Amino acid sequence: MSAKDFSVVNSADIKMEKKSKRLGKHSTKDIEVDIIDYLDRNRDFLEAYIIDSVPINQVERWLVKKMTRDIENKPFLSDKCLVRHGHKKKITKKEIFMELVNKLNGDTNEHSITLELARFMSFSVGVDAYRVYKLYPDHPTFVQYFEFDSTSDLLTSTKLARAENDKIQCVLEVAKNGACLVLSKKDTLSFPKMSNTLFRTFDIKNENEANHVLYQPILTANGKTAYVIEMWRLKDKFENKDEKISSDFVVWGSLILHYCNLYLDKKSERNMSDFLLDVVKAIFEEMVSLDQLIKRILEFAQRLVNADRASLFLVDYSNFELVSTVFDLKFEPGQGRDMEKKEIRMPINRGIAGHVALSGETMNIPDAYSDYRFNREVDEATGYKTISILCMPVKVQGKVIGVVQMVNKRNNDNFDHEDEVAFEIFSTFFGLALHHARLYDKIMRKEQKYRVALEVLSYHNTCREHEVQEILTDNKQLVANIYDFYLDPYQLDDFQKCKAVITMFDDLFELSKFDFETITRFILTVKKNYRTVPYHNFDHGWSVAHAMYVILKSDNRKRFDYKMRLALFVACLCHDLDHRGYTNKYMNETASPLAAMYTTSPLEHHHFNITVTILQQDGHNIFSHLTSDEYKDILRYIRHCILATDLAAFFPNLAKLKEIYGTSSQNSKFNWTVPGHRDLAMAISMTAADLSASTKPWDIQIKTVKVIFEEFYDQGDKERAAGKTPIPMMDRNKPEEQPSSQVGFLSQICIPCYNMLYKILPKTKPMYVMSLRNLKNWKSKVIVKDKDESSNEDDTLDFETESDLDEDDCEELLEEADIQAKDNMENKEILKIGHDIQEIHDDDEEIHIQEISGEMRAGWKCIKSDSVSWEDDQVVTDNVDTKTASIWKDIEGNWVDDEGVVTRPKRSLKIILVESKDDEDKNN
């Protein structure tokens, strides 16, 4: 509303005043009272008049005068302050201090306290004008002052402006010396000139009227100058008492500022804790995207130091560059800031960010254009004006991984020490978040690569549809009798073996309950995922599955339930998927990635994982018709069974079963209803099926051992190429070690395994018998070292192996097998043993035979090698028969006793087979 509008509204009052003037009946005082009364009743008219008609500089002067008069009219100041004009009454320091304390009671801002202190000081000293300068100890030439703002109260305004360097020489001198400075125009040649804005603010007509100035520094706790108060007088010279008053105020004010800062520090710590809590929450929410996390954290950093713009540069040490995907992030509270992802790169030795990245030091620059390292190209291109910069390194374990750059504080202030301290605390969390986000980003990228690789492998490791159709459309019947422990796997090709798996699956589990095409596809894909290594290939997987089929088929009582039998058969078929042809020990020694993934049984865990991977592929889940709980149970059984094929698990399983059975089968505590006993039975059955090559007739055994050792030799060749000496069993240059290693393997592992399996499942007797037969054959093949026995006879020891097992029952079985073999063709001799054993009556198969613990009466003589000294052994006697012990050779070539203690390293002994004394007597 304009003044004209108000004149219309109040026309009656105006006419009354005009009439009074014309009559001349009122005095000047009465007229002033009438005008004041009129203005009091028409404040809107007064406001409109001032806004429309009064210049702003006049309003500013009125405002200054108004504030000054209000202060002087207060009882304390008007009566007690040492103002030059008319106040002669002295006041005590206590009264001044208490009034200042009361004034600052609710003020917790350093700038506000400093301005209030300056106001009290100036009016106590009695000055015509004053100004407060703020200094930055780390930037000595950069000085700011609190300026008058037309929209705010002069005495409480915290708006800062840059001081011109040519007008602050005295301020810089006081700041450097930290002492009060008094100057008078007539006594000083280089007297400072009052600022134009200052004399206009305090309604001083001419700047030359200012003749005296007093500079009072305010020091921090560490002795550096933080503020300088400049006080001007027009006429009266400053005296010593004025300096004392100002110095006293400074002492009190410094204490107030100190404790104020302590309070603010505690408050900021609490705020920082809350702030960092929000940061941590945001970090975990945005961990999935590195760019989003960077942007989110920069937003927090902007909020922390009140910055207008922010950028983050990551250090790329490989290319010696700074990389930024979030550059020049603008402060826009309450708005989504989805930025277009673009990468900016710059040399690491360029600009302020580059200097911080290389030095690892924080840089707080209040005037960017005065720093030679500042790059002005961005401002020139964008039109944005950079004033102040706070640039800090982000470190992890002492290494700079990034640089955060904050630009322009939003309240026109500069970044101060508090901002540096706060951001330094924040940068620790920033660094950890950034470090882990980068790791997470790498993991996600690796996962994507893994998914792509898995997709490629899935395509190449999955059977083709035409292969499935070939199986489905083939109507030829298998010629071989698959229900035979002694079936020769070499007589079947891969196609026939796949057909045989389907036949066995149908015989055990009724194929009609499954999807025929899915079963076929699963079997063909399993075949494709076996590597073409000499032994652990699909032929071995098929042979183990066939052995399990015969074991399960021969168990008429079906001691294992349906899910267990299904898991056992599938586990056998898949138990060596993707086997690399090396042992677990070799995988650990070569730091294979598989060994790093699993603490124990790395290969077996991998076989199970490949099995699950195949089941998860489209069209391969043969258990899709089962319920979720049934599917989980079967997978648990499969995992248990595949892990049991690690020979490291065999020995503890065997020990537990021996403890359960005790010394006699008749006193056995084995119970099929106990889950732990069933698990042990499944484990020992898996080991038996896995080692079933040792239960095949001799001609098949010889073929299998040949490919086994070929695989061993391949590993030995790699160990030799790596500078290691392979064990004799894996040394291609020591083929003579084959028989002795097989004797140790059969006697130490296979025979105890099939002996225990025979106790649990009596129908598996053919496996036990043939393994004994093969052990006898391998003993006859042990190489005799050509040495002069006469020269070594006194140094020999005769050992009998407890595991040779020649109990009467065992000998009768073997003699019966020999008789049967003589009555048939030589190539059918071992098959006849199985046929005869299968004729045992059902009543007899329920009775467990006593544990075969006899020995096959073979004497073992150990002689020392050329490279080993036996002087420490005090057991050599002339009579070799008086020194007997129980020893055997393990799979690594070491000779161990019945307690598992190594009696001689593998390189120390040469084994020769001699006849026992009883045999000599018989021959004689």
Side-chain angles (χ1 to χ4, degrees), residues 552-649:
L552 296 176
K553 186 68 176 176
S554 64
D555 180 24
N556 297 328
R557 289 191 172 187
K558 294 185 177 180
R559 295 170 173 85
F560 296 112
D561 63 27
Y562 180 83
K563 289 187 291 186
M564 291 179 179
R565 288 184 285 119
L566 183 59
L568 282 166
F569 184 76
V570 173
C572 285
L573 185 65
C574 304
H575 82 285
D576 272 334
L577 280 171
D578 197 44
H579 199 292
R580 284 85 192 285
Y582 308 118
T583 62
N584 280 328
K585 181 181 179 182
Y586 178 82
M587 303 290 281
N588 287 316
E589 290 177 349
T590 56
S592 167
L594 279 182
M597 291 172 63
Y598 311 104
T599 55
T600 58
S601 307
L603 282 172
E604 286 69 26
H605 278 98
H606 180 60
H607 304 327
F608 171 71
N609 287 339
I610 296 297
T611 303
V612 175
T613 300
I614 294 175
L615 286 171
Q616 290 175 344
Q617 295 183 27
D618 293 339
H620 288 77
N621 189 0
I622 60 177
F623 307 124
S624 59
H625 64 288
L626 302 177
T627 65
S628 177
D629 291 338
E630 291 173 335
Y631 181 67
K632 290 178 182 179
D633 289 341
I634 288 181
L635 282 186
R636 179 173 60 83
Y637 286 141
I638 291 176
R639 182 179 184 275
H640 169 70
C641 292
I642 292 180
L643 293 183
T645 59
D646 185 1
L647 286 179

Side-chain angles (χ1 to χ4, degrees), residues 860-878:
W860 290 86
K861 182 177 293 184
C862 303
I863 64 173
K864 59 181 181 178
S865 66
D866 297 337
S867 60
V868 178
S869 174
W870 294 72
E871 294 176 357
D872 295 335
D873 294 329
Q874 302 298 325
V875 295
V876 181
T877 61
D878 293 335

Side-chain angles (χ1 to χ4, degrees), residues 196 242 380 415 432 462 505 568 579 591 684 754 784 878-879:
N196 294 333
D242 298 324
E380 294 172 356
F415 300 107
L432 291 174
T462 304
F505 200 93
L568 282 166
H579 199 292
I684 206 73
Y754 295 114
V784 179
D878 293 335
N879 187 359

Side-chain angles (χ1 to χ4, degrees), residues 258-466:
H258 176 67
Y259 286 106
C260 171
N261 287 330
L262 289 179
Y263 167 76
L264 292 175
D265 288 343
K266 293 298 180 182
K267 184 178 179 180
S268 63
E269 287 179 7
R270 185 183 64 187
N271 294 337
M272 177 62 77
S273 299
D274 296 338
F275 177 79
L276 293 177
L277 215 61
D278 294 337
V279 172
V280 172
K281 292 178 182 177
I283 287 172
F284 285 102
E285 288 175 359
E286 302 294 344
M287 187 65 77
V288 294
S289 170
L290 179 60
D291 293 333
Q292 288 296 326
L293 177 65
I294 291 173
K295 188 171 68 173
R296 188 73 182 275
I297 293 182
L298 278 181
E299 290 175 358
F300 277 103
Q302 282 180 286
R303 197 177 81 191
L304 179 66
V305 298
N306 207 16
D308 185 55
R309 300 289 178 95
S311 300
L312 172 68
F313 300 91
L314 300 179
V315 181
D316 182 0
Y317 286 103
S318 60
N319 297 315
F320 212 62
E321 290 179 327
L322 294 178
V323 185
S324 177
T325 56
V326 181
F327 181 77
D328 201 27
L329 186 67
K330 186 177 180 181
F331 186 86
E332 295 176 355
Q335 299 182 19
R337 294 192 275 182
D338 294 330
M339 301 175 59
E340 180 182 356
K341 183 178 179 180
K342 59 180 180 179
E343 187 176 85
I344 298 175
R345 288 181 172 267
M346 64 179 67
I348 198 172
N349 57 354
R350 182 180 179 184
I352 294 174
H355 177 79
V356 172
L358 292 175
S359 65
E361 299 176 354
T362 299
M363 293 189 67
N364 187 353
I365 303 174
D367 184 12
Y369 280 81
S370 65
D371 195 297
Y372 69 93
R373 292 161 295 197
F374 176 65
N375 182 14
R376 306 186 182 189
E377 296 177 1
V378 177
D379 280 8
E380 294 172 356
T382 61
Y384 183 78
K385 176 70 172 179
T386 299
I387 299 174
S388 57
I389 295 177
L390 176 61
C391 195
M392 301 190 73
V394 178
K395 299 180 181 180
V396 173
Q397 297 179 343
K399 182 179 180 181
V400 178
I401 65 170
V403 175
V404 178
Q405 183 170 282
M406 298 292 168
V407 177
N408 292 358
K409 204 157 185 177
R410 285 188 292 114
N411 57 1
N412 294 323
D413 199 353
N414 291 98
F415 300 107
D416 54 19
H417 181 67
E418 292 180 3
D419 295 327
E420 296 180 27
V421 173
F423 193 81
E424 185 176 359
I425 298 173
F426 174 73
S427 65
T428 302
F429 289 83
F430 198 165
L432 291 174
L434 196 59
H435 178 65
H436 287 94
R438 294 177 74 176
L439 291 179
Y440 184 84
D441 187 64
K442 288 182 179 180
I443 292 173
M444 294 302 296
R445 292 177 185 273
K446 294 290 185 182
E447 183 179 358
Q448 298 304 321
K449 291 182 180 179
Y450 166 76
R451 290 179 181 274
V452 173
L454 191 62
E455 183 181 356
V456 173
L457 291 175
S458 175
Y459 173 79
H460 291 287
N461 286 358
T462 304
C463 67
R464 306 277 76 85
E465 283 304 312
H466 71 85

